[in-house]
Amino acid sequence: MRLVLAVVALSVLGYCKDETVTGHGGAEKVWHLESLDGVGFAARATLEFPAEGELRGEGPCNSYSGEQTVPYPWFSAEGVAATERACPELAQEAAYLAALGEMTLVEVLGDVMILSNDAGREMVFRAK
């Protein structure tokens, strides 16, 4: 009987684990975009995972937030909404947010995070 209860308890605890990127090394870091499709990204853009299922960050002009609820290693930036300030880097911000919305895979390797998709697009971030 004790064995059955232990197995049930461990099973329930296993289902409570955060299976998003937050639970796989993405949390508690500020990720800075280094390159987009193999080209250095000159403007400042960040990505954070403050809690399970959440994402937020700052583009060159605006802050944004949304949801990321698919299990690791999948990635999906959903319902992303940004503030509406203008700045000289607005085109770079639009490219960043568009690319973020196209990413479907995530890999966290220590202080490096790579977002990619089947079309060959890639975003490389570094935690600072």
Side-chain angles (χ1 to χ4, degrees):
M1 182 66 173
R2 286 184 190 172
L3 179 59
V4 171
L5 289 175
V7 170
V8 169
L10 289 174
S11 296
V12 169
L13 289 174
Y15 290 119
C16 294
K17 183 179 181 212
D18 179 358
E19 290 298 325
T20 67
V21 67
T22 308
H24 288 269
E28 300 178 9
K29 296 179 182 179
V30 177
W31 299 97
H32 295 261
L33 182 64
E34 289 191 338
S35 67
L36 175 58
D37 298 329
V39 178
F41 196 76
R44 182 179 187 274
T46 66
L47 177 58
E48 297 177 62
F49 302 96
E52 181 179 351
E54 297 178 12
L55 62 81
R56 71 175 176 214
E58 294 182 10
C61 307
N62 295 285
S63 58
Y64 66 92
S65 62
E67 297 179 344
Q68 198 298 120
T69 58
V70 296
Y72 187 88
W74 305 110
F75 181 85
S76 178
E78 303 165 3
V80 174
T83 56
E84 297 181 1
R85 292 179 296 228
C87 77
E89 294 92 9
L90 200 54
Q92 290 173 301
E93 180 172 284
Y96 168 72
L97 292 174
L100 189 66
E102 294 178 17
M103 299 298 113
T104 57
L105 291 170
V106 59
E107 184 174 8
V108 177
L109 306 163
D111 285 342
V112 175
M113 178 176 66
I114 301 170
L115 300 180
S116 60
N117 67 18
D118 291 340
R121 299 206 67 196
E122 181 179 84
M123 302 173 84
V124 178
F125 292 82
R126 184 169 303 275
K128 295 183 182 176

